[in-house]
Amino acid sequence: MLTCLGAAAMLVVSPVEQAVAQNEAASGDCSSVVWTEDFGAGAGDVDISTTRGSTPMRWNGPDPKRIGNGEYTITSNLTEDHGGWWFPTSQDHTPDDTEGRMMVVDVADRPQEIYRAAIGGLRPGQTYCVSGWLANANRHGDGRLPNVSFNIFDGSERIAGSGSGDLPNTQSLVWRETSFTFVAPVEQVALSVYDNVGERIGADLAIDDLTITTNGLATLTVRSVTVNDEPTPGTASAADFTVTVTAEDDSSVTASSGAAELTETELPAGRYTLRQSGPSGYDVDLACEGATVAGDQVVVPAGGEVICTFTSDDVDADRDGYADDASVDPDPTSTCVPDPFEDPDDQPPSGTNNDCDGDGIANLTEGKDDPDGDGLPNYIDTDSDGDGIADAVEGETDSDGVGVPDYLDDDSDGDGMSDLAEGVGDADGDGILDFRDADSQPGRGGTSTTLLGAFTGAFLLLAVGAFVLIARDARRQSNGEPSSPSVGDPIPAHELPPPLAPRPSMPPPPVNRRSSSTSPPTPPDSAARQSPPPTA
């Protein structure tokens, strides 16, 4: 008989009669854990959301307080605060479990399901063992005795189960096991714990350590595969990665150094954590055949042959055309390293990655040339032409109009003086920096200063000449003379300039007639300096 419990709509079943299945030990070795529920550990009371299952019952709240009819709590310390009829205890069933928790239930006044969980990763046709531990927690011994059943469901169909029978009154909390086996018809089933009593007085119990185990081993193979397909690909191989398989009891097996896989490793069925370590710069995907995978968790079925593959695909997160493998791209966060030009159309539209040296000139404009021979291509060289003036100052302007932008022109103003010599001062105070000011040093004799002086002198001469002509015309008009004589007319005598005075002639030098004398001739003025002849 199936019954729905109001809005909770939990599937419950009628009580299971006592049968030989009660406390039945599974045939063979059921030591391989497939699934377990121990309700966790820690101080304080918690609700069912901290576990692997669900319940339609009410939680009594976060603070230790009276557990009423139809309520539950999950606690590591059962005290009189929960009610005077409970056995006080701080020990659950789980061995060596510090502050281990258990589920404590005060059943409702009618039979109902008190716990349900989904069990996945089973192998159809494989035999599994179910075990659960229960305790009569009513120290007063009044009212009905607890009695529950464990059931396995395939959807809505019950396929196996066993009852605990009445749990007797005791002088302390005594744990009793109920177990049975079933053959899995499908990969996923549900485990249900059902209260068979439904009584306001008595039937108070504790539940702990629900397990699904199997008597079969499985083989597990874990492989590593690498895919290097970026334009400049990564260099890692499968042998550079290490795979580790860890069981729920924290035991683990790791591939030997340099091995790309674990091959047909025999292990108990159960839940395992698969991890891979190795080079960075790869996206990793895990896929398995013959097992259920959720993230890095793999449920290995009993008797199964499971093959799992880690696929490591190189990535190019900064879109510079180089795989983010550290051996290829030293800085996988920057388009600038090692090369921003592999796919220019795929570069960010703005930001530092589009201007690697931060000089305000785009990478694609500056390019990879190295005109100053300093070993730095222009796109990462803040002074591309090596003239001592930063590209950010020179910019893309072409000051002298020769078709070379200033940041690549070592004589930006074309005045014959290098930018390195002129610098970024403003010698003439005209607001134009010297390296792009062709007249930055007035009076230094440069070509521009000389031409300007010549043009200025010519202009002044023309102006003076025009003034003289105008004045002459005015005077002629006042004398009744024509103001503009024709070409070829004689110039009036009074307008002619006075004749030049004749240049005086110089007397010839005296001749020295004493040719026979070997003495040098005496200068003319030397005779005057000689003594006068004697008088007669």
Side-chain angles (χ1 to χ4, degrees), residues 336-374:
C336 300
V337 180
D339 188 346
F341 296 93
E342 185 67 31
D343 189 357
D345 293 336
D346 198 30
Q347 292 190 73
S350 61
T352 57
N353 278 354
N354 199 40
D355 178 14
C356 294
D357 54 7
D359 60 5
I361 306 172
N363 296 336
L364 299 181
T365 299
E366 292 190 283
K368 299 181 180 180
D369 292 341
D370 182 19
D372 58 357
D374 62 356

Side-chain angles (χ1 to χ4, degrees), residues 90-160:
S90 60
Q91 181 60 55
D92 67 346
H93 172 266
T94 309
D96 302 321
D97 193 13
T98 303
E99 292 189 327
R101 293 186 176 123
M102 54 191 161
M103 184 175 183
V104 181
V105 177
D106 188 341
V107 301
D109 55 4
R110 58 179 177 174
Q112 71 173 74
E113 188 174 61
I114 55 181
Y115 178 88
R116 173 175 285 256
I119 315 296
L122 306 182
R123 184 181 183 187
Q126 178 70 30
T127 298
Y128 294 88
C129 305
V130 180
S131 172
W133 291 85
L134 307 169
N136 183 337
N138 186 344
R139 68 177 179 175
H140 290 167
D142 56 347
R144 294 283 302 274
L145 297 176
N147 186 309
V148 302
S149 61
F150 293 81
N151 302 286
I152 296 294
F153 285 91
D154 174 11
S156 61
E157 180 184 358
R158 176 180 173 274
I159 59 175

Side-chain angles (χ1 to χ4, degrees), residues 86-348:
W86 299 99
F87 279 117
T89 181
S90 60
Q91 181 60 55
D92 67 346
H93 172 266
T94 309
D96 302 321
D97 193 13
T98 303
E99 292 189 327
R101 293 186 176 123
M102 54 191 161
M103 184 175 183
V104 181
V105 177
D106 188 341
V107 301
D109 55 4
R110 58 179 177 174
Q112 71 173 74
E113 188 174 61
I114 55 181
Y115 178 88
R116 173 175 285 256
I119 315 296
L122 306 182
R123 184 181 183 187
Q126 178 70 30
T127 298
Y128 294 88
C129 305
V130 180
S131 172
W133 291 85
L134 307 169
N136 183 337
N138 186 344
R139 68 177 179 175
H140 290 167
D142 56 347
R144 294 283 302 274
L145 297 176
N147 186 309
V148 302
S149 61
F150 293 81
N151 302 286
I152 296 294
F153 285 91
D154 174 11
S156 61
E157 180 184 358
R158 176 180 173 274
I159 59 175
S162 179
S164 68
D166 290 342
L167 301 178
N169 291 320
T170 56
Q171 298 301 311
S172 62
L173 198 68
V174 176
W175 291 97
R176 300 175 184 272
E177 182 186 24
T178 296
S179 63
F180 62 97
T181 63
F182 72 96
V183 177
V186 290
E187 292 184 354
Q188 180 168 305
V189 298
L191 170 64
S192 169
V193 181
Y194 185 82
D195 167 41
N196 295 326
V197 178
E199 178 63 51
R200 284 187 173 272
I201 300 175
D204 304 314
L205 73 150
I207 307 172
D208 201 8
D209 290 332
L210 309 176
T211 60
I212 305 292
T213 57
T214 187
N215 59 357
L217 297 176
T219 59
L220 174 64
T221 296
V222 185
R223 300 169 174 168
S224 287
V225 175
T226 56
V227 178
N228 294 309
D229 57 0
E230 290 298 327
T232 302
T235 60
S237 66
D240 294 319
F241 294 90
T242 300
V243 296
T244 302
V245 179
T246 305
E248 287 193 301
D249 63 0
D250 292 331
S251 61
S252 64
V253 57
T254 303
S256 60
S257 177
E261 61 182 47
L262 292 168
T263 304
E264 295 186 352
T265 300
E266 192 174 73
L267 60 135
R271 183 183 301 271
Y272 292 86
T273 300
L274 273 60
R275 292 195 173 94
Q276 175 183 262
S277 59
S280 60
Y282 287 81
D283 278 342
V284 180
D285 177 68
L286 173 63
C288 293
E289 300 176 11
T292 302
V293 182
D296 60 0
Q297 303 291 303
V298 177
V299 178
V300 177
E305 296 181 4
V306 179
I307 299 176
C308 295
T309 303
F310 283 104
T311 301
S312 302
D313 191 355
D314 63 347
V315 296
D316 178 18
D318 56 2
R319 299 183 299 176
D320 60 3
Y322 287 72
D324 293 345
D325 182 341
S327 66
V328 176
D329 189 347
D331 185 357
T333 64
S334 173
T335 301
C336 300
V337 180
D339 188 346
F341 296 93
E342 185 67 31
D343 189 357
D345 293 336
D346 198 30
Q347 292 190 73

